[in-house]
Amino acid sequence: MERILFDFFNETHTEWLKSFSAYFRLSEEGVASYFDELNPDELTPGKLTQDLNINLTDYDSNNLSIICRHMTTASRADKESFSFHGILDLKSMLQEKTPLSDFIKDYGITIDVENRKMFINQQLYPITSYGESCEFCFKERKIPCESYFKCDPRKDMDHLGLKLYKYGATEEFFTHATMGQMESYSSIQRCPEILQTLDKIVSSINGFDRSAYKMSYDWIKAKPECYILEFPVQLNNMETYAPIEYDRAWYEISDCLEQSGYNHSDYCERLIPQNVLDNMVFLKRFISIYFYDSEGLGSLLPNMCVEPGEIRRVIEVRKQ
């Protein structure tokens, strides 16, 4: 099947409609007429699949790609790393030799992601997760406490564990946004967000005897340039369907999945192909962008990166 590329940054509604019709193998004129006549406030993925007779099983999400943009800060020298590394996930950025790992090493910090260890000036600290017992005491007590209310260093280390392990340290990006919307995320247009997390850990372990954001501020001064990297991502390589409460979410999407031949038992036993869920989520995102010009966000699947050759262009946002 022909591979379809959606570009919600550089193309128009007319081109979006053409790509939509091509992917779902529909008449472009028929889809245009349908979109013109409907009330978008009443449109859901379920209604869309029913009205246009779309069976989500019939479309391979491997054949649909979306242009994405990732915003990052760097020095001009660091810019060359995009050509060598591409866009790495957080785990790789911390463990491999990268501008980020080199930067934090200057402050005595190294991180062994695989073994859940953080070294601060050669002192080992475990990277913890919420709910784990305090087998290691960040306050250097002889007998670690089991208090419900954890100390500040432990809470900050839990937050790092949350980013790296529960959320998978995935690479995040925009699928649709204005420049102003992207720039409103100050944490990514000024310095890597992970630096703020590491700053808080170091500050709390040291008893708050230094600025809570020293590394972040130093990065801003040393690496003032901001870049947007543009690249395509296949839909099947994106995180799509991941509801907080999986069982209850059925009632929000049942009409869409039933239209494609799946029932509640299939859903509960997790028998619905990922391809179908990818297509369902894409329909929801398409509706929000096409009719409401909504900001779109996404992320790669865990342990995936953007290869250097996949970066189509680098846009410089700020010069200082």
Side-chain angles (χ1 to χ4, degrees):
M1 178 187 169
E2 177 188 3
R3 293 185 178 273
I4 305 299
L5 178 66
F6 283 83
D7 186 344
F8 294 115
F9 291 101
N10 305 300
E11 294 183 344
T12 65
H13 281 72
T14 299
E15 292 164 307
W16 300 346
L17 187 146
K18 182 176 181 180
S19 296
F20 179 91
S21 303
Y23 179 65
F24 290 107
R25 302 192 289 275
L26 300 168
S27 161
E28 187 177 338
E29 294 75 13
V31 173
S33 176
Y34 172 72
F35 283 174
D36 287 341
E37 295 173 0
L38 62 79
N39 178 357
D41 291 343
E42 298 176 353
L43 187 59
T44 65
K47 178 174 173 54
L48 191 58
T49 55
Q50 182 175 10
D51 291 350
L52 296 179
N53 195 28
I54 294 174
N55 186 320
L56 298 178
T57 309
D58 297 338
Y59 311 97
D60 185 355
S61 57
N62 180 58
N63 293 323
L64 189 158
S65 295
I66 300 173
I67 292 295
C68 304
R69 286 181 173 181
H70 174 77
M71 178 179 279
T72 188
T73 55
S75 67
R76 288 197 176 278
D78 292 343
K79 181 182 176 183
E80 300 304 317
S81 71
F82 303 144
S83 301
F84 181 73
H85 291 292
I87 307 175
L88 301 175
D89 65 356
L90 182 57
K91 291 180 181 179
S92 300
M93 289 173 61
L94 291 171
Q95 291 203 138
E96 296 181 15
K97 181 175 174 54
T98 65
L100 178 62
S101 64
D102 287 345
F103 183 82
I104 63 175
K105 189 176 292 185
D106 289 341
Y107 294 82
I109 297 172
T110 56
I111 297 178
D112 181 348
V113 177
E114 298 304 322
N115 294 305
R116 302 175 71 103
K117 297 177 181 178
M118 178 176 178
F119 295 87
I120 304 175
N121 295 324
Q122 299 185 336
Q123 173 66 48
L124 167 63
Y125 296 93
I127 301 175
T128 55
S129 295
Y130 291 103
E132 293 178 347
S133 61
C134 284
E135 297 179 3
F136 175 91
C137 184
F138 292 90
K139 292 292 189 179
E140 299 183 348
R141 299 186 179 97
K142 291 183 180 180
I143 301 177
C145 70
E146 292 295 335
S147 172
Y148 179 79
F149 297 100
K150 304 299 183 184
C151 64
D152 288 324
R154 170 58 197 264
K155 287 189 289 186
D156 293 333
M157 193 66 82
D158 282 354
H159 191 52
L160 176 61
L162 190 70
K163 290 176 179 286
L164 292 177
Y165 307 113
K166 183 173 182 179
Y167 295 153
T170 56
E171 186 57 55
E172 299 177 333
F173 46 74
F174 296 91
T175 55
H176 178 63
T178 65
M179 190 67 71
Q181 287 172 324
M182 286 187 280
E183 290 178 334
S184 69
Y185 288 81
S186 59
S187 61
I188 59 174
Q189 72 145 332
R190 293 166 62 82
C191 70
E193 185 180 6
I194 191 64
L195 281 182
Q196 298 175 26
T197 302
L198 299 179
D199 267 327
K200 293 183 69 175
I201 292 171
V202 174
S203 179
S204 60
I205 285 176
N206 291 334
F208 302 100
D209 63 351
R210 51 164 268 184
S211 168
Y213 297 106
K214 178 171 174 51
M215 284 189 292
S216 301
Y217 289 139
D218 287 352
W219 178 285
I220 292 169
K221 289 185 289 185
K223 305 174 185 289
E225 306 298 337
C226 182
Y227 300 97
I228 290 175
L229 312 178
E230 189 174 277
F231 49 91
V233 176
Q234 290 179 189
L235 181 59
N236 66 320
N237 289 333
M238 293 184 184
E239 287 192 326
T240 51
Y241 189 69
I244 296 175
E245 296 186 66
Y246 184 89
D247 292 340
R248 293 183 63 181
W250 162 259
Y251 301 101
E252 299 174 6
I253 61 173
S254 58
D255 57 343
C256 187
L257 294 179
E258 287 173 343
Q259 174 67 20
S260 297
Y262 299 96
N263 57 36
H264 188 230
S265 294
D266 297 327
Y267 181 79
C268 291
E269 296 175 20
R270 300 179 184 259
L271 298 178
I272 299 174
Q274 185 61 43
N275 175 71
V276 172
L277 298 173
D278 289 344
N279 285 324
M280 178 185 68
V281 172
F282 172 74
L283 286 179
K284 182 177 180 180
R285 293 177 178 175
F286 180 84
I287 291 169
S288 69
I289 293 173
Y290 187 91
F291 292 101
Y292 299 99
D293 201 31
S294 299
E295 176 184 308
L297 300 169
S299 63
L300 290 173
L301 292 172
N303 302 314
M304 294 196 69
C305 302
V306 178
E307 297 297 329
E310 296 174 333
I311 300 175
R312 294 171 33 138
R313 62 173 177 157
V314 179
I315 305 167
E316 188 166 329
V317 178
R318 181 179 69 242
K319 288 184 179 182
Q320 292 186 7

